[in-house]
Amino acid sequence: NSTTPQSEFTVSSDVTSINSFRCVRKSLYEAIMTVVERWGGHLVRDGFDIKIKEDISHDNGVVVQYRKNLKEITRTENWDNVVTKILPVGKDGTLLNAINPSASIFISSTYQWDVPFCKTVSFSQDIDKDDFPTEYDYKVALVNDLTAQATEYVNKYCYPQINYTLKANLDRITDIGDIIEVKDERLGVDLMTTVLSFEYD
């Protein structure tokens, strides 16, 4: 309702997790992508109806396997966003040592590669100073929130994004979000994954 001009899209969701997002001067697309990133879930688009659903997967028992129905498999890796150690910066330049000067200002991921991936990451914090009785309580809230956001971020992005593109003869048609099992002994692949896209011949 707040877009200019007012959008024809309707939005609904069954995601129950709690989060916050102060949306200012962003396109509708940017706003929706931020919501999906912060709350999780899957984006389902149908005409002018936009849904963010907790789960869209269906397991129809589809197995794609080498020497069975797998004709071709390629793997691509995207390391652009990989990070294993970050210096998180919060509201008004808040660092993790804001209440304890001897505290570390870095957050590291639970998984580490041979080569470290380090960067500074800024986080938005929807925390109002007027909601706290003292300056100290306000800083504690900022540091705790910054720690939580940074920990979640670094553990999410410590792995590269890996995508498999398959060509296979399937008996059962799958749809976006469906769960399939992929097996290829040559590549050491044996995993359950979800369909991101498909081309029906």
Side-chain angles (χ1 to χ4, degrees), residues 1-62:
N1 293 335
S2 299
T3 58
T4 302
Q6 185 169 321
S7 171
E8 298 179 50
F9 288 98
T10 59
V11 182
S12 61
S13 176
D14 62 0
V15 176
T16 58
S17 60
I18 305 298
N19 215 315
S20 63
F21 168 38
R22 185 170 180 268
C23 183
V24 180
R25 293 187 293 274
K26 292 187 180 293
S27 69
L28 180 60
Y29 174 80
E30 290 174 315
I32 291 171
M33 291 299 102
T34 301
V35 169
V36 172
E37 180 181 331
R38 292 194 186 180
W39 274 263
H42 302 272
L43 187 62
V44 179
R45 292 160 290 189
D46 183 9
F48 282 94
D49 186 21
I50 301 172
K51 296 179 181 178
I52 302 172
K53 299 182 68 68
E54 188 83 53
D55 185 19
I56 60 172
S57 62
H58 300 283
D59 189 349
N60 298 320
V62 175

Side-chain angles (χ1 to χ4, degrees), residues 121-133:
V121 180
S122 296
F123 294 90
S124 60
Q125 296 185 283
D126 192 13
I127 297 176
D128 193 340
K129 188 175 183 178
D130 295 335
D131 293 337
F132 299 90

Side-chain angles (χ1 to χ4, degrees), residues 123-192:
F123 294 90
S124 60
Q125 296 185 283
D126 192 13
I127 297 176
D128 193 340
K129 188 175 183 178
D130 295 335
D131 293 337
F132 299 90
T134 67
E135 177 78 17
Y136 178 80
D137 292 330
Y138 172 61
K139 285 187 176 181
V140 168
L142 286 176
V143 169
N144 289 342
D145 177 71
L146 185 60
T147 301
Q149 285 197 63
T151 301
E152 181 181 358
Y153 180 94
V154 78
N155 285 330
K156 176 181 178 180
Y157 291 106
C158 65
Y159 302 104
Q161 292 177 310
I162 299 175
N163 186 58
Y164 291 97
T165 302
L166 314 173
K167 287 186 179 179
N169 295 320
L170 301 180
D171 297 329
R172 283 157 286 187
I173 301 301
T174 61
D175 203 348
I176 303 299
D178 283 357
I179 297 171
I180 62 171
E181 185 175 4
V182 180
K183 295 183 178 181
D184 189 335
E185 296 85 355
R186 302 167 303 165
L187 299 178
V189 174
D190 186 356
L191 56 83
M192 302 295 289

